[in-house]
Amino acid sequence: MNDRRELLNNEKISNLLLKLSAPAIAGMVIQALYNIVDTIFVGKALGDASAQGIGGLTVAFPVQMIMAGLGLIIGIGGASIISRNLGSNNIDRAEKTLGNVIFLIFVFSALITVAVSLYINPIMKAFGATDTILPYAVDYLRIITYGCIFFIFAMATNNVVRAEGNANMAMFTMVIAGVTNIILDPVFIFGFGWGVKGAASATIISQIIGSLFLVYYLFSGKSVLKLHLKNLIPQYDIIKENITIGLSPFARQSSSSLMVVVLNNVLAIYGGDISIAVFGIINRLFMFIFMPMIGIVQGLQPIVGFNYGARNFERVMESVRLSIIVTTVMASIGFAIFYAFPEQLFGVFSNDPNLINSGKSAIRIMVLVVPLASFEFIGATLYQAIGKAKPSFVLSVSRQILFLIPLVIILPGFFDLKGVWIAFPIAGFLSFLLSIFMMNREFKVLKGYIPETGYEYEIPQSAR
């Protein structure tokens, strides 16, 4: 424990960010890879029906994002509390938070499993499934829903493990789950001929294996935090703080889900099955840009949370600045690759020339302001880590809810299908401007140039 406190408190920021982010980046890249592998194998296995199969995964994807969002609301909210309490040496409250995280995992998993199981067909239709896409979407999502608890457990617990400074264990569980999924995909999809059901089955089994490794870690004695049965009893103040802080990443994930739902319905009108499949492929390709960036912000979160709890504000600001530089470089590299080689990228997923040509023009528009996305990622993470829920919430929903969804609805009326793709760079630029404004203000607060005002979430006395 003392070694990890020393690391977070005194290690050079560049070295610390590398140590905490590198494992997270590796894990997130593997996660992005197995999401893409699912889509590639489904597209190749279904041949002439590849657009419908990929469309089925695309329509089901918002529900998976909601599941992941529930894991984030628990995990990131809990991680923020744990980081700050470790920084102020309040181990008892950190361990109580861990117990309440586990309690919330079971509650949220039960709720979403029941809801989706009962209403799967109407949900998929509302999420944009056409008559030809619906059977694939339902087959895929039904299996995913059965394993919902493992999705949420792995997502939430990984954040808690990372919050105590053990980024390597968090990475290992993600890598082992990802590799398992990649190995099982061709076996189930091609070997057993299960199609989209095979992709879903491989995903669930991989999440079960990852969850089992996390359970082992928590009970092995290697974890800084100990899981005591008495801490599984819900504690109102911890749950309230956890959910309040976690609402920001959940809002981002949910707003992304809502954005996908709106897009699927708009694309069904202006472009049909091929356009829905195009968007599904682009969404997965973008993971290769955004997942490494998320790895950086996952490494950033415990640094900011710990040093904010310890009142070392200079280290907070230094780590944020460095993270912005690194993630901007990552995003710029992704932009260059996607803009230069769209045809080759789409050819990996399908041999359909209509799908490839449609995707080529769409991705070159959508990727235009991707290098600016780093400011939105870092800004929202800064506020999450220091416990300021309201500004984090605003940044988390700004791009999708405030900007993108209205533009997606309005612009196709003027530009038809092209208007959907144009909406992305416009929304990204507006979100960039908002992020710059809010982070600049927070830096002035941390430097003492202006007093803190009531828009932040108050830090509990125990974490001061």
Side-chain angles (χ1 to χ4, degrees):
M1 174 62 189
N2 289 332
D3 289 342
R4 291 180 190 171
R5 287 180 58 85
E6 179 68 20
L7 185 75
L8 290 166
N9 200 38
N10 295 313
E11 180 77 16
K12 185 179 178 183
I13 290 295
S14 57
N15 294 339
L16 181 58
L17 186 64
L18 178 62
K19 288 178 181 178
L20 294 181
S21 295
I25 291 170
M28 297 308 287
V29 168
I30 290 292
Q31 192 173 37
L33 182 61
Y34 82 69
N35 273 291
I36 284 182
V37 166
D38 275 358
T39 310
I40 292 172
F41 285 145
V42 166
K44 296 297 185 182
L46 295 179
D48 292 341
S50 63
Q52 288 71 38
I54 294 172
L57 270 61
T58 303
V59 172
F61 192 59
V63 179
Q64 288 182 264
M65 293 172 72
I66 292 172
M67 293 177 186
L70 291 173
L72 289 174
I73 197 174
I74 303 166
I76 290 183
S80 177
I81 301 170
I82 288 169
S83 292
R84 285 181 279 117
N85 279 281
L86 290 177
S88 58
N89 205 29
N90 191 341
I91 307 300
D92 180 64
R93 195 167 192 272
E95 290 187 340
K96 287 179 179 178
T97 301
L98 171 61
N100 277 249
V101 163
I102 302 300
F103 169 79
L104 288 172
I105 288 170
F106 284 101
V107 172
F108 284 10
S109 299
L111 290 174
I112 195 167
T113 300
V114 171
V116 175
S117 297
L118 289 176
Y119 303 106
I120 188 168
N121 274 27
I123 288 173
M124 288 296 88
K125 289 180 180 179
F127 281 16
T130 63
D131 290 340
T132 50
I133 284 176
L134 181 62
Y136 297 97
V138 170
D139 282 348
Y140 181 80
L141 183 59
R142 183 173 283 116
I143 294 173
I144 292 294
T145 302
Y146 294 153
C148 169
I149 187 171
F150 302 106
F151 265 105
I152 296 178
F153 182 87
M155 183 70 69
T157 311
N158 250 310
N159 280 281
V160 170
V161 171
R162 198 173 290 109
E164 67 171 32
N166 197 341
N168 287 329
M169 183 62 195
M171 174 202 69
F172 178 75
T173 56
M174 295 177 71
V175 169
I176 196 69
V179 171
T180 301
N181 190 89
I182 291 169
I183 292 172
L184 292 180
D185 260 337
V187 175
F188 290 167
I189 294 172
F190 294 107
F192 294 172
W194 290 353
V196 294
K197 292 181 181 179
S201 299
T203 298
I204 291 304
I205 292 173
S206 70
Q207 292 299 318
I208 291 172
I209 291 174
S211 296
L212 289 175
F213 273 99
L214 287 166
V215 170
Y216 166 76
Y217 172 74
L218 290 175
F219 287 100
S220 66
K222 298 177 182 178
S223 172
V224 170
L225 303 176
K226 309 304 177 189
L227 182 59
H228 304 288
L229 290 178
K230 65 179 181 179
N231 289 335
L232 294 175
I233 298 172
Q235 190 168 323
Y236 174 75
D237 63 318
I238 291 177
I239 289 177
K240 179 183 176 183
E241 185 181 1
N242 187 326
I243 292 177
T244 303
I245 297 170
L247 276 175
S248 172
F250 177 72
R252 182 192 298 127
Q253 200 80 359
S254 298
S255 61
S256 296
S257 297
L258 178 60
M259 178 266 292
V260 173
V261 170
V262 172
L263 269 163
N264 287 339
N265 282 278
V266 172
L267 289 170
I269 296 170
Y270 288 94
D273 291 357
I274 285 183
S275 293
I276 293 174
V278 163
F279 173 66
I281 292 172
I282 292 175
N283 215 16
R284 283 161 173 75
L285 285 172
F286 274 11
M287 287 182 181
F288 264 117
I289 300 178
F290 294 144
M291 287 300 194
M293 294 169 65
I294 292 172
I296 293 292
V297 301
Q298 287 180 346
L300 173 67
Q301 192 274 333
I303 302 173
V304 170
F306 183 95
N307 284 282
Y308 190 78
R311 292 329 208 207
N312 195 341
F313 298 143
E314 278 299 323
R315 282 176 67 82
V316 170
M317 291 185 285
E318 183 183 351
S319 61
V320 169
R321 292 189 192 100
L322 179 60
S323 297
I324 289 174
I325 293 171
V326 174
T327 51
T328 300
V329 170
M330 287 179 169
S332 299
I333 293 171
F335 160 77
I337 293 172
F338 286 7
Y339 197 86
F341 306 106
E343 192 170 348
Q344 291 84 346
L345 291 170
F346 271 85
V348 173
F349 293 87
S350 175
N351 298 322
D352 186 335
N354 291 329
L355 192 152
I356 293 172
N357 288 331
S358 297
K360 178 180 177 180
S361 58
I363 197 171
R364 280 184 165 163
I365 296 172
M366 291 174 66
V367 80
L368 286 175
V369 298
V370 160
L372 303 182
S374 56
F375 291 85
E376 178 189 345
F377 277 99
I378 301 301
T381 301
L382 166 64
Y383 285 115
Q384 288 163 16
I386 65 179
K388 296 187 177 182
K390 291 180 182 178
S392 180
F393 179 85
V394 170
L395 282 180
S396 294
V397 304
S398 63
R399 185 167 64 90
Q400 288 95 342
I401 300 296
L402 298 181
F403 305 133
L404 183 57
I405 290 177
L407 288 168
V408 163
I409 294 172
I410 294 168
L411 291 181
F414 297 94
F415 304 104
D416 294 321
L417 178 60
K418 194 172 184 178
V420 175
W421 314 132
I422 293 172
F424 281 84
I426 296 175
F429 183 71
L430 293 173
S431 181
F432 160 73
L433 294 178
L434 179 62
S435 302
I436 287 288
F437 170 77
M438 293 181 67
M439 279 196 290
N440 182 59
R441 188 189 188 287
E442 188 59 39
F443 271 31
K444 289 180 179 179
V445 171
L446 292 174
K447 291 177 180 178
Y449 294 160
I450 57 176
E452 293 194 60
T453 56
Y455 80 136
E456 76 278 6
Y457 180 76
E458 184 179 357
I459 301 174
Q461 188 67 34
S462 61
R464 292 181 187 274

